[in-house]
């Protein structure tokens, strides 16, 4: 079995980076560990450069177990961007609230590596490998505030529930293997066309959906996410909501749209129902929340529902919609969570009520939170609107009920987003002293703001790229 | 360098847009710096616009073919929207004119707005306006143009209501915004029709497609409807009857705003737009007649109001409405050249007069009634004499700019009449009579303001150089700006026209007529308001013809008619729908909201925090799905539909 190393340079570089940070952390004195963040940042930017540079490379290696095409490269870039923003925007938050543990940044890098391997998976074993690398890294990260009971509780919950979902996923994989006799996606697709199937395959399919639905926090497999999102360090929450979710969507598409196409009639409706449920549950339960992280967790469930609409379409325009939305979702979510972390750093609270008068105390942070939330709600001239437009246009023939539900639920979401806005802009602060944001936070916020506004006004180029990538997915 | 400017024309609107962002986010605290940023950006735009104008007007290829470049904004299958730049002689001329006038007015504003607490914000708005107006001019696509169109409307709203402490200013801003929205709505419908029927909003593609409208399944009736709907936008924006009511009220804004937005640039956007889409109107003669008739009527109607008004800026406002009518008339009779020429000269002399009026108001501490002024020319020589230049230009005295362009409009209207349009003679009569009225009311104002006896209670003084220098530049343009379009050497008509280049013989008879009309108007004004120190005859006339005087003074009661209409009919309907709304619609909405909130709260109890529950739900869901899929899937699919 020949290995084409040129196709996996990104992965190799990332693995080296993770090990290097870890080793370096052991060598250098404890006081110098603060600098590890900078090394991680620099390294990740270089890896991103490599990933962008190797965009033209396409092919398969390890006998089809590893697929590199524009589709996977796109999601790798999304994951790396998320990782960079997490490392950069939450520096002070991590230093102040997590501690300078040498494992933190290397674990972030390993989680990223897990995502990237999963995105490129061409068979079930690689998929599981990447998924577990990612999940185990996240279990560690979620529980990182070991002095905080909430963080520990979230860690335990995530450990047990993720383990459970992994077991289900693995069971599903074995059933699919049993039904088709192969673990390679391409051969599974062929075998289904050749007539294999039956109850075994369908049960396997359900378990696959459950296992991956858990990762993207789609209802009704979402129940872990509010607790974990709330308890985890905010930086980890942000990464969980963006990178982990985007990578899981990539592999969902790869497995369902790419491989299980033959039994589409069995899962399209199922995914549509799950999407509808996610929109409903996410948006409705977000309304009474008082903790902003919990609210964003439910909003993230709803967002998963919107993105799943693109899988329902199971077409090029649907896949393009998912890619576009994943990209912009990273920036909107990162922007929102960066504000949450920065505010927590100052006032030690995640309660929405404590955001009163934030517009006076930290105008930029309040503006970015406003814009990011409006983008998630899908207000025109912001990126989220364009993304939702692409997603819903892909299913407008045939799933009108889902489109209508999406529209109504978007309106509902405006309600709970604007509640936060109201508190920030209308209410007077208890303590009017301005909150001074660090430069790294300001830059991250400006990036999130700039991308969200720019792609809302001028989505053309990214939409073209996503379209090309989606095309490469269907005609390799 | 010319190449660069032509290929980077988008820099022209971009520079002021950047200035807006910079002022709002960075320099707002420092007033002088903010105005400096704004003026520098506008001057930069002016330089680029000048180079573009040079490049275009030295290359004869541009007459036949415009330079267009664009990039895809957004799109999907079968529906693409581009944003782009379209350069031809018309748009280059507009770029030059707007950036020049805007630069001068921004310089003027540094003196006029001195000491205003919101000085920086004023310049930010002016920059935003400049960006949107210049963006409107270069638009190659109707949707892009519409966005800019709304943006200039927004800037107009912000600037009219700039003195937020004045109730009248706030009211005027609202009135302007709502009145123009009525027109914009029709215009948007027209644009949507064009997109649906012709599948494109690109100006070049539309120009190619519309002459073959029958191939697109569009009847002449529908095309006329589209043209008329589309015309609603310009009617409102360019203050044509019956949607002109907002423009005189818009004078509540600071005077530089009146000069820039409500005289020289934004209000001519409507004329420019019709000129841009003339390829549509020439296909529908009916719509053309409507344009011409509304134009001529507006010209006469507004002039008839202007003769009795007392506030200096109001007179100028009605004069603007009247002159815009002239431009529409020229378009209606099919002459892009004459219309754009008048637009060009009008921009200079009207901006000049507004700025001079601002200088007067500045000196007299906002005393606006011309009857309270008099003899100002002695204390304010620069303001006074530049105003006189403007007055000569608008009255149509050769060789000042207005003479040539107004004469051109009279000529094309006469030709239109001679080509078998009986309506043309009526239009010509209206236009000629308006010329007389214009000279009269304009000079009535000049004599009352600048000549005659000084009033003891006034202590006028000349304004600072930052205000008088722009006046002088504009006065020069108002004097010689028309010489490029004389019938003997009509360079203008050669470059800016629609269809065949038309070489008209100099119509000496018409020229003589228009000079006589102008002189008669000025003479009458002199007799009534200058020679007779007590103005006895003027007062007696007003008393003897009380009803006519009141009719004109009260602007033909149009505002009152609208007020009655809105109070009785709109409010009446509103009251009925109000009850329907609060009891029926709100009932439903509140019900939904209550259900939504309630279900949110209810569903929340599922989230117990206990992991056992979560695991239970997880496995239960798998079980249910498996059962449904394994046994009921086809029937479920047939219920929900949509499986491919």
């Amino acid at each position: 079995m020949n290995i084409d190393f040129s196709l996996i340079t990104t992965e190799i570089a990332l693995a080296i980076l993770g090990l290097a940070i870890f080793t370096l952390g052991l060598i250098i004195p404890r006081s110098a560990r603060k600098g590890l963040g900078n090394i991680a940042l620099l390294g990740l930017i270089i890896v991103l450069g490599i990933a962008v540079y190797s965009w033209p490379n396409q092919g398969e290696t390890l006998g089809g177990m590893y697929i590199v095409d524009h589709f996977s490269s796109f999601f790798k870039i999304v994951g790396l961007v998320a990782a960079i923003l997490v490392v950069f925007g939450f520096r002070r938050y991590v230093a102040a609230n997590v501690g300078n543990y040498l494992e933190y940044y290397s674990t972030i890098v390993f989680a990223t590596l897990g995502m990237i391997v999963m995105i490129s998976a061409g068979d079930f074993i690689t998929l599981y490998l990447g998924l577990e690398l990612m999940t185990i890294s996240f279990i560690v990260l979620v529980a990182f505030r070991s002095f905080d009971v909430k963080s520990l509780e979230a860690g335990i919950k995530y450990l047990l529930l993720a383990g459970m979902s992994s077991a289900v996923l693995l069971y599903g994989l074995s059933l699919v293997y049993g039904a088709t006799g192969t673990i390679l996606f391409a051969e599974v697709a062929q075998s289904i066309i050749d007539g294999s199937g039956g109850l075994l395959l369908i049960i396997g399919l359900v378990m696959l959906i459950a296992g991956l639905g858990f990762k993207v926090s789609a209802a009704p497999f979402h129940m872990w996410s509010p607790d974990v999102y709330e308890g985890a360090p905010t930086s980890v929450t942000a990464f969980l909501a963006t990178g982990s979710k985007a990578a899981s969507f990539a592999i969902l598409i790869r497995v369902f749209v790419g491989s299980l196409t033959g039994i589409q009639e069995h899962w399209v409706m199922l995914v549509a129902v799950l999407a509808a449920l996610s929109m409903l549950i996410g948006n409705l339960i977000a309304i009474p929340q008082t903790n902003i992280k919990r609210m964003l967790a439910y909003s993230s469930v709803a967002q998963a529902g919107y993105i799943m609409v693109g899988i329902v379409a199971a077409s090029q325009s649907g896949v393009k919609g998912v890619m576009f939305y994943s990209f912009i979702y990273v920036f909107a979510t990162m922007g929102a969570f960066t504000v949450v972390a920065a505010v927590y750093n100052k006032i030690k609270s995640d309660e929405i009520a404590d955001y009163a008068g934030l517009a006076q105390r930290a105008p930029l942070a309040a503006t970015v939170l406003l814009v990011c939330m409006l983008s998630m709600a899908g207000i025109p001239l912001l990126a989220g609107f364009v993304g939702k437009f692409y997603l819903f246009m892909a299913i407008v023939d045939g799933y009108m009920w889902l489109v209508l539900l999406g529209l109504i639920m978007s309106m509902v979401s405006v309600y709970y987003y604007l509640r936060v806005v109201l508190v920030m802009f209308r209410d007077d602060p208890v303590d009017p002293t301005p909150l001074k944001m660090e430069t790294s936070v300001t830059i991250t916020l400006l990036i999130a703001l700039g991308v969200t506004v720019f792609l809302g006004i001028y989505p053309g180029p990214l939409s073209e790229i996503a379209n090309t990538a989606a095309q490469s997915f269907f005609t390799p | 360098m010319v190449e660069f400017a032509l290929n980077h024309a988008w820099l022209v609107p971009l520079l002021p847009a950047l200035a807006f962002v910079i002022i709002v986010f960075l320099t707002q605290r420092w007033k002088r710096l903010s105005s400096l940023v704004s003026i520098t950006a506008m001057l930069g735009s002016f330089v680029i616009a000048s180079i573009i104008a040079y490049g275009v007007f030295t290359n004869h290829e541009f007459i036949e073919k415009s330079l267009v470049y664009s990039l895809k904004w957004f799109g999907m299958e079968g529906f693409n929207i581009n944003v782009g730049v379209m350069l031809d002689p018309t748009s280059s001329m507009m770029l030059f004119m707007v950036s020049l006038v805007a630069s001068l007015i921004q310089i003027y504003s540094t003196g006029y707005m001195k000491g205003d607490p919101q000085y920086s914000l004023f310049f930010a708005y002016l920059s935003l306006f400049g960006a949107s107006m210049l963006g409107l001019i270069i638009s190659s696509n109707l949707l892009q143009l519409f966005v800019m169109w709304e943006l200039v409307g927004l800037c107009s709203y912000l600037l009219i209501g700039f003195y937020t402490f004045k109730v009248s200013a706030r009211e005027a801003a609202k009135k302007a915004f709502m009145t123009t929205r009525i027109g914009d709505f029709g215009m948007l419908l027209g644009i949507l029709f064009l997109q649906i029927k012709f599948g494109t909003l690109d100006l070049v593609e539309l120009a190619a497609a519309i002459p073959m409208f029958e191939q697109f399944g569009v009847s002449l009736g529908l095309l006329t409807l589209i043209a008329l709907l589309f015309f609603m936008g310009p009617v409102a924006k360019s203050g044509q009857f019956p949607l002109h009511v907002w423009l005189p009220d818009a004078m509540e804004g600071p005077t530089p705003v009146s000069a820039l937005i409500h005289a020289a640039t934004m209000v001519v956007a409507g004329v420019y737009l019709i000129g841009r889409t003339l390829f549509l109107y020439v296909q529908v003669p009916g719509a053309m007649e409507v344009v011409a008739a509304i134009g001529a009527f507006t010209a006469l109607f507004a002039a008839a109001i202007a003769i009795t008004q007392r506030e200096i800026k109001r007179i100028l406002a009605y004069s603007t409405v009247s002159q815009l009518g002239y431009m529409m008339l020229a378009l209606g009779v099919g002459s892009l050249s004459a219309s754009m020429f008048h637009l060009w000269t009008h921009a200079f002399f009207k901006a000049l007069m507004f700025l001079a009026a601002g200088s007067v108001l500045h000196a007299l501490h906002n005393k606006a009634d011309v009857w309270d002024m008099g003899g100002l020319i002695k204390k304010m020589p620069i303001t006074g004499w530049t105003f006189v230049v403007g007055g000569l230009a608008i009255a149509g005295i050769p060789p000042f700019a207005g003479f040539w362009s107004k004469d051109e409009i009279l000529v094309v209207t006469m030709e239109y009449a001679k080509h078998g349009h009986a309506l043309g003679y009526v239009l010509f009569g209206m236009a000629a009579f308006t010329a007389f009225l214009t000279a009269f009311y304009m000079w009535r104002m000049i004599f009352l303001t600048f000549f005659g006896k000084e009033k003891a209670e006034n202590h006028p003084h000349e304004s600072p150089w930052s205000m008088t220098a722009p006046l002088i530049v504009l006065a020069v343009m108002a004097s010689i700006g028309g010489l490029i379009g004389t019938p003997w050497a009509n360079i203008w008509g050669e470059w800016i026209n629609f269809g065949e280049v038309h070489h008209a013989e100099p119509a000496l008879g018409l020229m003589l007529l228009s000079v006589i009309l102008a002189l008669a108007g000025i003479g009458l004004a002199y007799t009534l308001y200058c020679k007779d120190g007590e103005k006895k005859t003027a007062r007696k006339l007003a008393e003897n013809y009380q009803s006519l005087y009141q009719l004109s003074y009260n602007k033909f009661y149009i505002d009152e008619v609208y007020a009655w209409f809105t109070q009785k009919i709109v409010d009446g309907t509103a009251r009925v729908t109000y009850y329907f709304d609060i009891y029926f619609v709100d009932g439903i909405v509140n019900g939904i909201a209550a259900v939504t909130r309630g279900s949110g709260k209810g569903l929340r109890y599922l989230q117990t925090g206990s992991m056992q529950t979560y695991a239970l739900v997880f496995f239960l869901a798998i079980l249910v799905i498996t059962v449904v899929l394994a046994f009921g899937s086809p029937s479920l699919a047939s219920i929900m539909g949509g499986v491919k």
Side-chain angles (χ1 to χ4, degrees), chain A residues 237-248:
Chain A
T237 311
F239 202 30
L240 207 53
T242 54
S244 158
K245 206 173 239 194
S248 308

Side-chain angles (χ1 to χ4, degrees), chain A residues 157 160-161 164-165 168 199 202-203 205-206 210 214 220-221 223-224 226-227 265-266 269-270 284-285 287-289 294 298 313 389-390 393 398-399 401 412 415 457-460 464, chain B residues 71-77 83 595-597 599-601 603-604 606-611 613-615 617-619 621-623 625-626 629-631 633 636-637 640-644:
Chain A
K157 277 186 178 164
L160 289 174
L161 293 171
M164 185 183 79
S165 89
V168 169
L199 194 58
I202 288 176
I203 297 175
L205 177 128
V206 173
F214 178 87
F221 313 112
M223 301 197 75
W224 61 279
D227 292 9
E265 72 271 17
H266 290 289
M269 185 46 66
L270 173 59
L284 289 180
I285 312 192
I287 295 173
Q289 299 306 322
R294 258 189 115 75
Y298 282 108
F389 181 76
Y390 287 142
M393 276 313 277
Y399 291 90
W401 63 272
V412 170
Y415 172 71
I457 296 172
Y458 187 39
E464 287 297 313
Chain B
L71 44 87
K72 194 169 149 187
W73 184 10
F74 63 86
M76 35 203 263
E77 278 166 56
V83 283
V595 169
T596 309
R597 224 176 299 130
S599 52
K601 280 190 187 136
L603 284 168
R604 194 184 184 187
L606 282 178
Q607 196 78 30
T608 52
S610 131
M611 249 184 338
T613 324
Y614 299 178
V617 171
F618 189 90
F619 283 111
I622 294 176
L623 192 69
I625 294 170
T626 313
L629 272 197
F631 304 105
S633 139
L636 178 73
M640 307 291 262
V643 174
K644 284 161 209 155

Side-chain angles (χ1 to χ4, degrees), chain B residues 490-507:
Chain B
N490 196 349
I491 309 168
W492 184 277
E494 189 185 324
W495 285 93
I496 294 175
N497 55 52
F498 182 81
E500 296 281 299
V501 181
H502 191 74
H503 285 292
E505 289 298 309

Side-chain angles (χ1 to χ4, degrees), chain B residues 286-368:
Chain B
M288 280 291 254
E289 279 173 15
V290 172
V291 174
I294 285 189
F297 181 74
T298 307
L300 182 60
F301 175 78
I305 295 176
I307 53 175
T308 57
Q309 296 304 308
R310 301 172 69 106
E311 279 175 39
I312 188 163
K313 280 175 77 184
R314 240 164 222 281
I315 302 175
L316 287 171
Y318 279 104
S319 147
T320 306
V321 173
S322 169
Q323 300 295 313
L324 289 166
Y326 267 127
M327 299 175 207
M328 280 296 175
L329 167 65
L331 285 173
V333 299
S335 174
L336 178 69
S337 179
S339 176
M340 289 296 134
F341 192 31
H342 198 57
L343 187 159
W344 160 265
T345 59
H346 173 259
F348 295 115
F349 62 69
K350 190 50 69 58
L352 165 64
M353 286 197 282
F354 262 114
L355 293 187
S359 177
V360 168
L361 296 175
H362 195 66
L364 297 183
H365 304 290
N366 294 323
K367 187 188 273 184

Side-chain angles (χ1 to χ4, degrees), chain A residues 247-262:
Chain A
S248 308
F249 268 115
I251 199 63
L252 249 175
I253 291 182
R254 180 80 79 194
V255 172
F256 282 84
V257 183
S259 178
L260 299 178
T261 354

Side-chain angles (χ1 to χ4, degrees), chain B residues 164-177:
Chain B
T164 37
F165 53 86
K166 269 166 72 182
V167 179
S168 55
R170 297 201 301 260
E171 292 295 320
K174 272 194 287 184
K175 186 171 175 182
F177 199 75

Side-chain angles (χ1 to χ4, degrees), chain A residues 72-149:
Chain A
S72 65
S73 303
F74 185 93
F75 275 103
K76 282 179 197 174
I77 292 170
V78 171
L80 283 168
V81 167
I84 288 172
L85 291 176
V86 163
V87 170
F88 184 59
F90 295 86
R91 267 155 39 140
R92 288 301 298 271
Y93 175 84
V94 171
N97 300 295
V98 181
N100 287 315
Y101 294 99
L102 69 98
E103 299 90 351
Y104 178 79
Y105 286 109
S106 56
T107 317
I108 291 257
V109 173
F110 285 129
T112 318
L113 180 63
M115 291 171 201
I116 283 179
V117 169
M118 179 163 87
I119 289 166
S120 260
D123 74 333
F124 289 128
I125 299 296
T126 319
L127 186 166
Y128 191 71
L129 207 67
L131 186 98
E132 280 306 284
L133 178 55
M134 180 182 91
T135 309
I136 292 168
S137 303
F138 267 119
I139 293 168
V140 177
L141 287 169
V142 167
F144 228 105
R145 278 162 64 88
S146 49
F147 47 86
D148 179 2
V149 182

